[in-house]
Amino acid sequence: MTDFPTTRGSSLDHLRNVIAHIDTCMSAVKSHDAVTDLINVDPHQSGYSQAEEAESPVCEAIVPPSTLAESVMQSCEDAMLVLRDFSCVSCNPAATRLFKCHSATLRSQNFLKLVSKIFGVEQHWVEEIVDRMTRGDVFSFDLERKTASSNMWCEFSFQRIELEHEEHWLVVVRNISQRKNHELELIRNCEFLLNTINSVPEPISVKSSSLDLVLVNDSFCETHNVRRADAVGKPAGDLVKSETVGENAYIEREVLATGKKQATIDEFIGDDTDPFILSTYLSTFHDQTSGKPFVVAASRDVTTELKRENRLRLLASVFEAAQE
């Protein structure tokens, strides 16, 4: 069982309509009681005709709450059940299709125990749901039903309502298997991407249009001595120590604006290491789904290479001076 999110499905919009209509009906019932008092007067009194006229529209407005709720439930595509004392007292055809049983079966046993049996959850889950219902919380959660052929994910939403002066619970169950499969596919793609960039020995980072880090590989974290969780979502300037951070931010914005690739060479100061120099290649990537641009930076440590070049230049200058 997953954590209890606060979001609820569209079927709860039907719930709000049910509650609003029930409130209207209760108001109409109170108005009808007042009209009845007026009716119990002498027919020859002037107030009789007024009471008779007022009674007609009020009576037409009165709809039994249970009938109204049943009508809304029957028209809903998601599974909907009404619980009283943890037992189902009403359900729509979508619920019988989802749980693959007759309505009489749903009504003959404790709903939470039935769900626990179908989805294979433990007793502490039932106790947790009972506790939340006792407190009167509005909550929802996801459960997975594993079968030999396929897995099914369902989202359960619980809302306390009052019908005919008694406390009931409206439960909306949505089949979210397709959404969960998409989420799992995204997770697999993200893991594949991370494994790919982590196999690259050079530091790689991706920044958003606001120049906040959105992706870094292991080499980037090791080079700058930061954790991935601390790096993602923050500007690189807050994590790395370099005198050219401000200048690089200007270059990165230019890369985002023009789409032209550029290269930089920067010296960084490590916490417990000697200064090192990175040559960074900057390019842009446009996400096809959101259309947002990103800056991709691939770096290479050129500290040893530049030191070697400096020594060669020094030797060359000494040789030239000796020849003169």
Side-chain angles (χ1 to χ4, degrees):
M1 182 182 73
T2 62
D3 294 334
F4 296 95
T6 57
T7 57
R8 299 185 293 277
S10 60
S11 295
L12 289 185
D13 292 336
H14 292 282
L15 165 64
R16 298 188 183 95
N17 293 334
V18 171
I19 296 174
H21 282 299
I22 290 174
D23 290 339
T24 302
C25 292
M26 293 299 100
S27 300
V29 169
K30 294 178 182 178
S31 300
H32 179 258
D33 293 339
V35 171
T36 303
D37 293 338
L38 290 175
I39 293 175
N40 293 327
V41 299
D42 193 327
H44 298 290
Q45 295 180 4
S46 59
Y48 178 79
S49 60
Q50 296 176 359
E52 187 178 32
E53 293 176 358
E55 180 190 15
S56 178
V58 170
C59 290
E60 292 177 358
I62 298 175
V63 179
S66 58
T67 303
L68 181 59
E70 190 76 22
S71 176
V72 174
M73 289 174 58
Q74 297 301 320
S75 62
C76 183
E77 295 183 358
D78 293 327
M80 300 183 71
L81 308 96
V82 177
L83 306 184
R84 184 179 61 202
D85 297 331
F86 308 109
S87 296
C88 176
V89 296
S90 180
C91 62
N92 65 350
T96 59
R97 291 194 299 268
L98 180 65
F99 291 101
K100 298 181 179 179
C101 60
H102 296 291
S103 59
T105 304
L106 288 174
R107 296 174 181 175
S108 64
Q109 53 188 308
N110 185 294
F111 176 71
L112 297 182
K113 291 183 178 179
L114 175 64
V115 172
S116 175
K117 179 181 179 181
I118 293 176
F119 287 85
V121 293
E122 299 178 357
Q123 177 62 28
H124 70 81
W125 173 87
V126 178
E127 296 172 355
E128 186 176 356
I129 301 302
V130 170
D131 180 63
R132 301 208 68 169
M133 293 177 68
T134 303
R135 298 200 307 264
D137 295 345
V138 176
F139 59 95
S140 61
F141 55 88
D142 300 342
L143 288 179
E144 182 185 17
R145 180 184 182 184
K146 297 181 179 180
T147 62
S149 57
S150 62
N151 295 347
M152 179 180 70
W153 280 93
C154 288
E155 178 189 67
F156 291 75
S157 299
F158 282 68
Q159 167 75 54
R160 184 172 63 176
I161 61 176
E162 185 174 322
L163 292 177
E164 300 176 352
H165 306 291
E166 291 186 354
E167 181 183 276
H168 293 70
W169 282 86
L170 179 66
V171 182
V172 180
V173 187
R174 303 176 62 196
N175 188 335
I176 58 171
S177 301
Q178 186 175 8
R179 189 187 78 188
K180 282 291 185 178
N181 290 335
H182 289 164
E183 291 177 357
L184 293 174
E185 185 65 23
L186 285 175
I187 293 174
R188 284 193 291 267
N189 290 337
C190 288
E191 291 176 348
F192 176 78
L193 174 61
L194 281 176
N195 290 334
T196 301
I197 65 174
N198 286 336
S199 65
V200 179
E202 286 79 22
I204 295 178
S205 63
V206 180
K207 299 179 183 179
S208 64
S209 56
S210 59
L211 302 186
D212 293 332
L213 291 166
V214 297
L215 183 66
V216 294
N217 67 345
D218 290 344
S219 179
F220 179 95
C221 298
E222 294 170 1
T223 300
H224 298 287
N225 193 27
V226 296
R227 296 190 308 167
R228 180 178 285 103
D230 297 332
V232 173
K234 295 181 180 179
D238 295 348
L239 305 171
V240 301
K241 298 178 181 180
S242 174
E243 296 180 356
T244 58
V245 168
E247 181 180 348
N248 286 347
Y250 173 81
I251 296 175
E252 288 167 351
R253 290 191 181 94
E254 186 177 349
V255 171
L256 280 170
T258 63
K260 294 182 179 180
K261 302 173 182 178
Q262 296 201 41
T264 62
I265 296 181
D266 309 286
E267 183 176 7
F268 295 88
I269 302 174
D271 293 333
D272 51 3
T273 60
D274 295 331
F276 57 93
I277 301 172
L278 295 180
S279 174
T280 303
Y281 183 78
L282 301 173
S283 60
T284 57
F285 167 77
H286 287 268
D287 180 50
Q288 295 181 353
T289 303
S290 64
K292 296 180 180 180
F294 296 87
V295 179
V296 181
S299 303
R300 183 170 63 91
D301 191 331
V302 294
T303 306
T304 304
E305 183 178 334
L306 289 180
K307 287 182 178 180
R308 186 184 301 111
E309 290 181 358
N310 290 335
R311 286 197 297 269
L312 289 175
R313 291 193 190 97
L314 179 61
L315 290 174
S317 62
V318 170
F319 181 74
E320 291 176 356
Q323 283 185 331
E324 294 176 357

